[in-house]
Amino acid sequence: MESVSSALVSESIGLYLHVPFCKRRCTYCDFVSFTDFSQVKEYFEALWREIELWSRFLPTIRVETIYVGGGSPSDVPFELLERTFLRVQDLFVLTEDFEFTVEVNPSCEFVERLRFLNVNRVSIGLQAADEAVLERVKRRHSVGDFFKAFEAAKSFAKVNVDFIVGLPGESDRTIENDVRVVETLRPDHVSIYLLETHEEEPGNVVNEVVENRYERFVEAVKAMGYDRYEISNFALDNSFCKHNLKYWRNQDYIGLGVAAGGHLGRIRYVNSPRLEEYISKLKEGDLVFDYFSRNDDLQELKETIFMGLRLSEGVNIEKLRQIWGKFDPYELFHDLLGEFLEIEDGFLKLTKRGFDLSARVLADVIDRVSLMAVGR
Ligand code: SF4
């Protein structure tokens, strides 16, 4: 790990902290989170050790963004979050304009307390402005709770609201309600995700219907003046999520906690998703990776393109050439240019149609990059 600091590309990083606990699981959840809270304290002690270890590997680094996600950070004792932030503040140098985001399930009391941690961005998981849907997927809040949490957050922070389209029990009316929420509250930032449906789950609506709803929601939000700066993310007045931009631009960030991942220079890692293992290894003073690798040129190129094309700004071709000297997007994508891809001011990006069909276009783009490497 001594080589970590020399692997860095930038002088500042993003820092992600995973809080893998939820009092109850939502039916659609794919995240690593646990409902047994008996090891919460031990988990945080391990997390604090991990923070300490990384601060030793990166003694001069500045932290530009902190993102606390989960799980449900709002479900754990507040004091543990407070001590976590103090530890980060003590051991790392934060940039003056650092962005500090905490994900919350709508809870007014919890949001109020974030103000005292210097949190300046709150991401609220509403998911659907429809009580019946929330109940069906076992969310633990009502639409009313969301409104209260939103007002509390708005008074001191930038606010993101998360929506999911495609939840069981959803109808056209749900999307109309969602649109109305955005129209009325005008959050600084909105994320709209499309739930991947698993056919066998009862109550899931047909894909095409869901895709149409998604498109309608997206168009409505754009018509309100939101900038679709990433496939699923929309911002008013340049209120982009600086932390997530680090992921999409394939920049440097570290992830701490169970199942969290990082990217530093060419290093890519993912921590163990196993709680016991995470706690016990950190007790012994060791980091606990499930995956740790140094990307070769091809892997780094593929990641940079795949993530970068998700952004409306696209991906800097010069950056791609720094990874793969002879990278020639004109030759490689000649038949996609115009309809699905375009090149503007040195950036390769998706066209409007490419954005709409992003899953298919991105898969095609990555296949071509892999084939290109065969002929190197
Ligand atoms: S609150 Fe989030 S992490 Fe927790 S179960 Fe629900 S979707 Fe999963």
Side-chain angles (χ1 to χ4, degrees):
M1 290 302 289
E2 281 70 31
S3 61
V4 164
S5 49
S6 59
L8 281 167
V9 169
S10 51
E11 288 164 4
S12 55
I13 55 165
L15 197 150
Y16 174 79
L17 296 156
H18 193 63
V19 180
F21 298 98
C22 295
K23 285 187 180 152
R24 189 171 76 189
R25 296 274 297 170
C26 308
T27 57
Y28 58 87
C29 182
D30 277 338
F31 299 112
V32 174
S33 84
F34 308 95
T35 49
D36 176 358
F37 277 58
S38 57
Q39 288 183 292
V40 171
K41 181 89 193 313
E42 278 176 287
Y43 176 74
F44 273 89
E45 283 164 0
L47 185 64
W48 298 335
R49 253 175 238 122
E50 196 187 5
I51 293 171
E52 218 173 291
L53 286 174
W54 276 107
S55 73
R56 272 194 241 150
F57 294 135
L58 303 168
T60 57
I61 202 71
R62 292 170 349 129
V63 172
E64 239 180 342
T65 62
I66 303 174
Y67 194 107
V68 183
S72 299
S74 40
D75 280 358
V76 300
F78 193 78
E79 183 235 358
L80 296 176
L81 294 179
E82 202 169 16
R83 288 177 66 182
T84 305
F85 177 58
L86 289 176
R87 187 128 331 191
V88 171
Q89 210 175 13
D90 279 352
L91 295 171
F92 287 96
V93 179
L94 306 180
T95 59
E96 256 174 46
D97 58 343
F98 82 102
E99 177 190 85
F100 185 6
T101 307
V102 177
E103 269 180 10
V104 304
N105 283 328
S107 152
C108 183
E109 299 76 43
F110 178 78
V111 170
E112 294 282 2
R113 301 182 76 180
L114 293 177
R115 175 198 302 268
F116 304 106
L117 289 187
N118 290 328
V119 168
N120 52 27
R121 192 169 179 277
V122 177
S123 179
I124 310 180
L126 169 59
Q127 319 310 8
D130 182 327
E131 302 294 3
V133 173
L134 295 179
E135 215 167 287
R136 179 138 174 199
V137 299
K138 296 197 172 2
R139 296 288 295 171
R140 289 173 293 115
H141 61 86
S142 65
V143 181
D145 295 333
F146 161 75
F147 278 108
K148 284 188 212 147
F150 182 89
E151 285 312 317
K154 193 64 215 144
S155 66
F156 67 93
K158 296 258 184 198
V159 184
N160 167 61
V161 182
D162 273 351
F163 292 92
I164 300 176
V165 176
L167 290 170
E170 166 195 287
S171 66
D172 287 345
R173 178 64 67 85
T174 312
I175 306 303
E176 284 162 26
N177 292 350
D178 293 347
V179 168
R180 209 165 308 124
V181 163
V182 178
E183 212 165 39
T184 315
L185 302 179
R186 292 188 72 73
D188 306 285
H189 191 283
V190 178
S191 301
I192 310 175
Y193 300 106
L194 184 63
L195 187 74
E196 279 180 37
T197 50
H198 306 287
E199 296 291 322
E200 66 277 8
E201 285 173 18
N204 281 336
V205 256
V206 188
N207 280 342
E208 202 180 321
V209 176
V210 172
E211 278 171 19
N212 286 337
R213 283 186 192 139
Y214 186 84
E215 275 321 302
R216 282 210 303 280
F217 194 177
V218 164
E219 289 309 318
V221 166
K222 278 163 59 184
M224 290 175 218
Y226 283 82
D227 177 5
R228 188 185 196 181
Y229 73 104
E230 195 269 349
I231 289 170
S232 312
N233 287 277
F234 306 78
L236 273 185
D237 306 324
N238 298 332
S239 301
F240 311 123
C241 176
K242 284 201 237 167
H243 183 83
N244 288 343
L245 277 172
K246 287 189 181 294
Y247 299 157
W248 298 314
R249 290 177 177 156
N250 215 15
Q251 293 172 332
D252 293 330
Y253 57 89
I254 52 174
L256 301 106
V258 152
H263 179 256
L264 290 169
R266 289 290 183 95
I267 291 171
R268 167 79 56 202
Y269 73 86
V270 183
N271 280 348
S272 166
R274 293 169 288 277
L275 192 63
E276 309 272 339
E277 185 185 23
Y278 176 83
I279 292 172
S280 65
K281 278 275 168 66
L282 275 150
K283 249 184 203 158
E284 293 160 17
D286 296 327
L287 293 175
V288 51
F289 301 119
D290 210 40
Y291 174 86
F292 185 96
S293 165
R294 203 184 141 72
N295 281 346
D296 61 16
D297 293 347
L298 177 62
Q299 186 58 22
E300 188 70 11
L301 181 73
K302 286 205 278 192
E303 283 179 5
T304 308
I305 294 178
F306 188 78
M307 300 302 284
L309 284 182
R310 296 188 59 90
L311 290 168
S312 62
E313 71 182 19
V315 55
N316 187 335
I317 295 171
E318 198 37 54
K319 183 173 175 183
L320 300 178
R321 291 200 174 122
Q322 280 164 16
I323 301 169
W324 194 276
K326 288 194 176 136
F327 183 75
D328 182 355
Y330 291 98
E331 189 192 325
L332 195 58
F333 306 125
H334 64 97
D335 54 328
L336 299 179
L337 286 169
E339 190 174 6
F340 301 109
L341 291 172
E342 61 187 345
I343 293 174
E344 201 179 49
D345 297 333
F347 278 74
L348 174 70
K349 53 177 89 167
L350 294 174
T351 58
K352 157 89 178 64
R353 187 154 164 73
F355 236 60
D356 291 342
L357 300 170
S358 57
R360 271 165 265 170
V361 180
L362 286 175
D364 188 5
V365 163
I366 296 306
D367 281 351
R368 285 167 191 235
V369 174
S370 303
L371 279 174
M372 171 195 77
V374 175
R376 191 186 203 187

